[in-house]
Amino acid sequence: MNKKKKIGGLRRLFEISIVIIIGCICAITRSAAAAAAKDDQFLLLLGVSPQDEDYYKGLLSSPSSTIKCKDGSFKFSTSQLNDDFCDCPDASDEPGTSACPNGKFYCKNAGHIPFSLYSSRVNDGICDCCDGSDEYDGKVKCPNTCWEAGKVARERLKTKIATYQQGVTVRNRLVEQAKLAIAKEEAELSKLKNEEKILKGLVEQLQERKEQIEKAEEKERLQKEKEDKERKEAEEANLKEKQNGEQVESSEADALKNDIHDKIGEQVESSEADALKNDIHDKIGLLGDSSSSQDVMDGHGDSESEAQHGEFDVKEESPIGDVKPLQEDSLLHATEKEEQLTVDGQPGLDTGNQAEVEEDNSESLSKEELGRLVASRWTGEKTEQQTEEVSSTKDKNHGTEEEDAYGEEYSSYDSEEDDHRYDNDDGDNEDQMDDFGGEDHDDSSPSYKSETDDEPDLPAEPSWLEKIQKSVRRIFQAVTFFQTPVDKSEAARVRKEYDESSAKLSKLQSRISSLKQKLKHDFGPEKEFYSFYGQCFENKQNKYVYKICPFKQASQVEGHSTTRLGSWEKFEDSYKVMQFLNGDKCWNGPDRSLKVKLRCGLNNEVTDVDEPSRCEYMALVSTPALCVEEKLKELQDKLDMMNKEQPTSHDEL
Amino acid sequence: MKKSPNLIFHILFLLLLISPSVFSWKKDEFRNCNQTPFCKRARSRKPGSCNLIATEVSISDDGDLIAKLIPKTQENNESQDAPVEVDSKPLLLTVSVYQDGILRLKIDEEQSLNPPKKRFEVPDVILDEFLSKKLYLQRLSEEKIDNDLGFSSVVYLDGDYEGVLRHDPFEVFVRERGNGKRVLSINSNGLFDFEQLREKKEGDDWEERFRSHTDTRPYGPQSISFDVSFFGADIVSGIPEHATSLALKPTSGPGVDGFSEPYRLFNLDVFEYIDESPFGLYGSIPFMISHGKARGSSGFFWLNAAEMQIDVFGTGWNAGQDKIMMPVDEKRIDTLWMSEAGVVDAFFFVGPGPKDVIRQYTSVTGRPAMPQLFSTAYHQCRWNYRDEEDVFDVDSKFDEHDIPYDVLWLDIDHTDGRRYFTWDKVLFPNPEEMQNKLAAKGRHMVTIVDPHIKRDDNYYIHKEASDNGYYIKDASNRDFDGWCWSGSSSYTDMVNPHIRSWWADKFSYGNYVGSTPSLYVWNDMNEPSVFNGPELTMPRDALHFGGIEHRELHNVYGYYFHMATSNGLVKRGNGKDRPFVLSRAFFPGTQRYGAVWTGDNTAEWEHLRVSVPMLLTLGLTGISFSGADVGGFFGNPEPDLLVRWYQLGAYYPFFRAHAHQDTKRREPWLFGERNTELIREAIHTRYMFLPYFYTLFREANMTGTPVIRPLWMEFPAEEETFSNDEAFMVGNSLLVQGVYTQRAKHVSVYLPGEQSWYDLRSGAAYKGGKRHKFEALEDSVPAFQRAGTIIPRKDRFRRSSTQMGTDPYTLVIALNSSKEAEGELYIDDGKSFEFENGAYIHRHFKFSNGKLTSSNAAPSGAGGNRFSTDCTVERIILLGLSPAPKSALIEPANQKVGVQLGPLTIRHGNSPSFLTIRRPNVRIEDDWTIKIL
């Protein structure tokens, strides 16, 4: 019903306009003339803004007076003002008609906000000014809607002002808190740095001692080995005929194993373990972008967060027996994966190879596979999707349900990995691979969350450092020199003390680095964004959850799959926009990126997420941090003005 | 931990590989001539190998010249390479003659001899009106040509031409009467070959395999090939669609490098096509036009919808061949035409001018439809405007930036799962309201409707089509099932008029739920595109209504789809509203149903450049209403390229910006203030010239003469223009030169003719007949008004063309050396068919002896209806007049108006230095004169 009415209305409107086109004679000039007779002054100054009234004054005195166009290029007379012919290139002679293309028409809009229209809107049959003043040639009748529209606008403005009023208070509190917190953290940092210096010295001493002990032990061990060997050789000589070769082999193998075991044991215990760790970290850093490496950095040396990373556990704690097979396994694994990458179509990454794959394989594809493959050229739905489709259609009937390209892309990503897991009954390795692939970004959030609450991990009382100092002093006092054979209990005590101290040192250093990292950030001119640190804002849109973590990264999560929309870049547009760059690569497009527009609001929340251009996201976040006092004043002034300019009567036209 | 880095490296390496350029034209996916047996065979044939002779030549009861083609008895059968087919039956040859110098030649198997199958002849392309212009031959004369043993039969053509059938060896040509100069001929090189249908014999393997596809070819070989010669020709052009030069480069003969494949006519959906290639694209028009300084133009059209391959021979290609029957002194261009199936149904057009040839061709296939005024304005498109909010946002931004536009387009993703005629309920919950909101500002919308129908039993279109058996069948006679946007899809059989009519009904407001009168349609993928088909299209052995094989009509499928859709829109509006349907595929006759565009081009300078010859070629072959995606469909244009594309695109007959979904947003305001300004300016230029464009569309509608034209169409005797396809004429009055390089400093422009040219921006005059070097200005591409012309403009800009209806006109008079100028203006209601009943205004303006006269150019008694407007002329600009007069006198009103200096275009505020008649305010529809005092 409604629809028909609308169409009918539209048609009627159209018919009317045709009648008008056919019926009225030179509407513009005629009505202009008629109006001129009625109200010269009104017509002459049609479309003139109050600021400009002075400029036209000179023309109102007599019909023969002239003034210069605003740009000084030309002179025009009273009769040329609003005569529907453009004389001034800058449109100054035609403020009230459409004759000059660059002109502006001022509508008073009493009761609402005055507005300057492009002159192309004047007498074009469409009501633009709420007071209807832009349509005066009689083609259409525009009702004055300023009062109603103004009322709505005023109400909206009032609400906004109320929000700002509260928001400004919240913001002030935030700013206060931030300043205090930052001061506290800076103090802590300088304290920690001091402690670090002391502790480092102790650890170095301990290490030195420990190495001495170990050297002595090694010497002893070699001596013992030599003796053993001599003894063994003697025995062997005796038993040579009785023993078979197998036994020899096995005992040699044992010895070899022990040997390796010992060596690795040393490494793990010695500082080389750290080196190894660092090495691994570096590699991870290389692999990922700044954000993932930052995550790793944050975790670096922090045993708490490391414990959450499976691979570090393995490295630090694994005895030699575990390390070797792991290497073999993952080597094998990687080869497998490489094969899949090239044969199956490059999970998630290689579209470049797709062409080749297509050329190679398209002939053997089923009709449907081929169709999907070709369609993907235009859509950019990734090859692994096709691959997935392919494999799934081979096994089962694939649903034809249409899904968003992203949905398919990432769900297939998931299923592919799932398959992978099933293929290789080696969950640990798989996880590790994932971490190396830098894909499982969810993992990074716990580690970074820990930052905010890792403070209590360090002993709160200052006496802890003294305690250590004391006990170390004791050690050095007790054992000023050592002799062979090494005193076992003494050696153990040194080792334990060393282990404990260096663990504490690394904890301390981690805290220092995370504090440094944090304080390095730009929290805004008044530190009003300090509270954003360590926070994430989430928003659910259909099947996606958008997660925006300022100073960190932003991601789009669907089920178990996460797409990185970008890592923190900076504030832009005088702290009204947060920019996240270098997210996951888009097929045939840019790296994903996210712009977050900030608005004043009472809570920190994501109000909207959008993808205006493929892979370029845009989010709206409301936050009290944006509720600035100056803006509040501006809004109040605007409201005052609107209240002032109420029309005297409602039916002016 | 050794192999982790390995893996990492691998991933990094793969990441490096990801770049758009890796995807490009997949050459291997398409057949070349060597992989196409009929093409390979025809190409390897030697000149003079045709041994057919014409016998039993006579005049039929229908007034045609008829004859039988039979193999010459082999007295000296030494040529082993051309074995004579024992079962070869006589072929029937028919020559008919039509008004305006058109000769039609048909050669087919003789039906009385019961061939295994009736060969396909394309219906619904040739106008009934044309058939009624047939001249009934009364008699034929016989004569001996040169040293022939046998006779030749001569018939009279309209005008000063004669058609000749030479009997032995068989040859058909058109010549000038009196001097006997040949114009156009067929089989002069003896390359004619006609594979007759025959019953399959034991051991015959007719199957053809290409990649993973097998064509069963149940009827075996049935190809046709022959040579056509254009006499007195310097260039040949036409046979779209190829992304290549306007003057067709030779593909065979000495010195041919790079272009060694024939021009292919096979409608294909080519992903990321490349420029400078004879490769076949989305549409096919087997019509070639020649042009030469010596004689002018002639044209040859072969109505055949099967795959065609055409060679253009370079000079000297047949050197050393002695069996050629042509005078050697002639300057001519030889071509070889090869088709997989069908019959010979060929048309010879004698010209002699380029416009004559196009008039003759469009008298056979139809004149371009008169478009709605709004559709000649600017279109904004993107794959995809995602939802209603996006639509409103884009719409309002145009207003915010004071940039006019008329149409907003919705690509495939506006639908519910790519079921055409439906709307995505989440993204477009209120389509009618949305359209009405835009319509309130005089704007229109276009939605896409493609021919692949999703095979979903809950989809009403599929349900009806499958229940009624409306789908094309595969070789085993089941509904053909192919893959396209909607996944598993079938294709309605548009060759059947009944199915077309059913399809047309789907566009009624009742059937197409959510459509309103301001909604128009876009037909894409109608080659048809089948992602998993051979060469991305339908298998050749698919079956159409009446048992016609797809191979026989492949190239015409998209045309019927376009036709059915266009008819649907006419039906929808009860025959009162002109349809607007954009199609990607096309065929001769497409011009009657709507516009076409050049498909999925790329945001590269070379694609900007090649758009001009592509559109000029379309215009030469009848399709006047055409455009290329402004900005380039694939890829992201740098701002410089985008701006240049807008500046050139503003002169395309069809002016639409479009972009792939993976590209960055590129609405005009997204590239900084300066670029926004430049693009706004370019779009405004189009709106300013809308009255002129609309007048040109009417000219095309009346005569076939395209809106944009090669320079040689206006200056046919100037050789310098023949190979120029970087510049073009808009009508007869404007010359536009594109800028095709980044940050260009200078542009070289050849200005033809003896008269001067006025720079549209500065008003400065430049001499014709020479090449000029201009500084490349940032704010426009070089464009000039030709001295001696009058161009009507509307200089006021509105939100859309709809609001410009009552705005006053500006006339720009560019005087030639004898201080004269002429021009025209056509106006109608811009949307209905009332103009066909005379409801239009057609003015003729002439300036001479210091007096401008407006007179009626409409033929008297052009229908009883009238169209009227109150529009006036607000400004008349005179270029090239001196000394400066002070006033002018309007008659019959006997009123004086002032003459002063004013700017050439008021937008630019350039120094007011051109004589301007201020506010004459004469009504545009009246007769009047204005005398300069």
Side-chain angles (χ1 to χ4, degrees), chain A residues 3 6-7 10-11 14 20-26 28-29 73-74 80 83-87 89 93 97-102 118-124 126 128 139 280 283 286-287 315 326-327 330-332 334 337-338 341-342 346 348-355 358-359 362-365 367-368 370-372 374-375 377-381 400 402 432-433 436-437 585-590 608 610-614 616, chain B residues 1-8 10-12 14-15 17-20 22-23 26 28-29 211-213 269-272 382-383 386 389 398-402 417-418 432-433 436 439-442 454 483-488 509 515-517 531-534 536 600 633-634 660-665 680 795-799 802-803 806-808 831 868-870 872 874-875 900-901 906-907 909 912 916-919 921 923:
Chain A
K3 176 185 75 188
K6 270 177 197 154
I7 292 173
L10 202 73
R11 281 196 181 138
F14 200 81
I20 288 164
I21 291 164
I22 294 169
C24 92
I25 304 159
C26 195
I28 295 165
T29 40
S73 63
F74 199 71
Q80 281 168 297
D83 71 340
D84 204 33
F85 185 86
C86 189
D87 293 296
D93 65 316
T97 74
S98 62
C100 289
N102 333 330
Y118 291 116
S119 58
S120 62
R121 313 291 196 256
V122 178
N123 286 329
D124 70 346
I126 299 165
D128 291 288
K139 259 189 282 180
I280 291 162
K283 275 168 188 158
L286 265 182
L287 150 78
K315 270 166 251 149
L326 172 73
Q327 283 181 334
S330 36
L331 185 66
L332 189 80
K337 199 146 189 171
E338 275 170 38
L341 287 173
T342 45
Q346 326 84 41
L349 296 164
D350 176 26
T351 42
N353 250 2
Q354 188 179 332
E358 249 179 69
E359 300 307 335
S362 61
E363 307 224 6
S364 62
L365 294 178
K367 291 263 170 181
E368 182 174 332
L370 185 61
R372 284 182 186 275
V374 171
R377 292 174 191 165
W378 281 267
T379 58
E381 285 163 21
T400 50
E402 293 287 329
Q432 197 179 343
M433 303 303 288
F436 273 77
K585 176 88 188 166
C586 250
W587 179 86
N588 214 356
D608 192 22
D610 201 2
E611 190 187 353
S613 201
R614 193 164 162 92
E616 293 179 2
Chain B
M1 290 288 95
K2 197 158 147 261
K3 85 260 76 128
S4 315
N6 246 351
L7 178 67
I8 293 159
H10 198 92
I11 290 168
L12 288 174
L14 294 178
L15 279 168
L17 282 179
I18 301 174
S19 87
V22 176
F23 280 104
K26 306 211 166 357
D28 293 348
E29 215 154 66
R211 291 168 73 89
S212 62
H213 304 278
D269 181 2
V270 183
F271 181 79
E272 291 191 351
R382 177 177 180 83
W383 176 23
R386 282 164 311 155
E389 202 190 328
F398 270 99
D399 288 345
E400 210 175 285
H401 293 93
D402 204 20
R418 291 155 187 189
E432 295 182 10
E433 201 183 310
N436 290 338
K441 294 193 212 166
K454 190 176 180 68
W483 198 271
C484 205
W485 291 134
S486 41
S488 170
Y509 299 119
S515 67
T516 71
F531 290 157
N532 57 356
L536 267 70
D600 298 349
F633 178 67
F634 290 112
H660 184 275
Q661 62 170 358
D662 286 341
T663 61
K664 281 172 172 290
R665 283 291 189 127
R680 178 196 295 124
D795 287 9
R796 298 190 185 192
F797 306 110
R798 302 296 194 173
R799 263 171 276 227
T802 311
Q803 291 91 35
T806 51
D807 281 343
K831 61 193 292 33
S868 181
T869 174
D870 296 307
T872 58
E874 67 169 338
R875 174 187 292 103
Q900 60 185 41
L901 292 180
I906 40 174
R907 279 195 72 75
T916 302
I917 304 177
R918 193 181 186 279
R919 293 188 76 203
N921 285 1
R923 284 161 55 97

Side-chain angles (χ1 to χ4, degrees), chain B residues 765-780:
Chain B
Y766 297 93
K767 255 186 141 50
K770 67 184 276 210
R771 188 163 279 279
H772 298 260
K773 192 175 176 188
F774 294 98
E775 202 185 321
L777 300 174
E778 177 190 43
D779 56 358
S780 69

Side-chain angles (χ1 to χ4, degrees), chain B residues 46-278:
Chain B
K46 293 213 165 55
S49 61
C50 172
N51 66 346
L52 296 175
I53 57 168
T55 59
E56 301 176 43
V57 182
S58 66
I59 298 286
S60 73
D61 296 341
D62 295 332
D64 298 324
L65 179 154
I66 52 169
K68 282 185 179 158
L69 294 180
I70 55 164
K72 193 171 185 176
T73 41
Q74 300 295 303
E75 295 123 6
N76 48 352
N77 194 1
E78 79 265 59
S79 55
Q80 290 301 315
D81 52 315
V84 180
E85 293 233 7
V86 188
D87 58 352
S88 153
K89 296 170 185 161
L91 295 167
L92 183 65
L93 174 150
T94 312
V95 170
S96 325
V97 169
Y98 298 81
Q99 287 172 21
D100 203 10
I102 299 170
L103 182 144
R104 182 183 189 181
L105 167 69
K106 286 183 83 165
I107 300 174
D108 192 4
E109 295 174 47
E110 220 189 306
Q111 297 312 302
S112 59
L113 298 173
N114 293 319
K117 189 177 189 252
K118 171 95 184 71
R119 299 173 75 111
F120 179 67
E121 294 183 48
V122 189
D124 309 305
V125 169
I126 297 173
L127 296 184
D128 291 341
E129 196 189 334
F130 170 73
L131 295 176
S132 70
K133 287 180 185 159
K134 189 168 119 169
L135 303 175
Y136 286 77
L137 295 174
Q138 307 294 326
R139 61 185 185 85
L140 56 99
S141 54
E142 308 259 292
E143 66 175 71
K144 284 212 173 194
I145 297 178
D146 304 337
N147 303 318
D148 282 4
L149 297 171
F151 282 95
S152 292
S153 307
V154 181
V155 295
Y156 286 99
L157 276 183
D158 210 15
D160 295 326
Y161 298 92
E162 291 168 333
V164 180
L165 169 65
R166 198 177 197 176
H167 300 185
D168 179 13
F170 137 71
E171 183 190 11
V172 176
F173 59 88
V174 170
R175 68 181 184 195
E176 286 177 18
R177 188 178 298 158
N179 64 21
K181 267 195 180 162
R182 293 197 196 195
V183 177
L184 200 61
S185 73
I186 193 172
N187 201 32
S188 303
N189 288 295
L191 286 169
F192 183 89
D193 185 64
F194 195 115
E195 291 179 323
Q196 299 194 30
L197 290 168
R198 54 190 170 87
E199 300 297 345
K200 194 168 179 173
K201 286 198 246 19
E202 195 99 355
D204 276 349
D205 181 13
W206 284 351
E207 285 191 354
E208 275 183 18
R209 275 157 294 270
F210 179 68
R211 291 168 73 89
S212 62
H213 304 278
T214 301
D215 174 5
T216 59
R217 291 222 308 165
Y219 299 99
Q222 48 184 304
S223 75
I224 301 171
S225 53
F226 51 79
D227 58 283
V228 176
S229 301
F230 298 86
F231 293 81
D234 293 319
I235 55 160
V236 288
S237 192
I239 56 168
E241 179 171 43
H242 306 97
T244 183
S245 55
L246 176 66
L248 294 169
K249 294 183 179 66
T251 56
S252 184
V256 169
D257 38 36
F259 258 67
S260 54
E261 281 287 304
Y263 293 99
R264 190 178 186 199
L265 291 181
F266 193 62
N267 295 1
L268 288 175
D269 181 2
V270 183
F271 181 79
E272 291 191 351
Y273 66 77
I274 48 173
D275 65 301
E276 270 305 294
S277 167

Side-chain angles (χ1 to χ4, degrees), chain A residues 218 221 261-273:
Chain A
E218 173 73 2
R221 197 181 55 81
H261 197 292
D262 286 348
K263 273 184 187 153
I264 298 288
E266 275 166 33
Q267 280 181 346
V268 168
E269 282 178 40
S270 77
S271 60
E272 274 180 59

Side-chain angles (χ1 to χ4, degrees), chain B residues 537-557:
Chain B
T537 191
M538 192 163 280
R540 290 160 199 244
D541 53 7
L543 291 169
H544 291 263
F545 165 72
I548 306 159
E549 279 195 287
H550 186 69
R551 88 182 69 251
E552 299 176 275
L553 55 75
H554 172 81
N555 285 344
V556 76
Y557 176 79

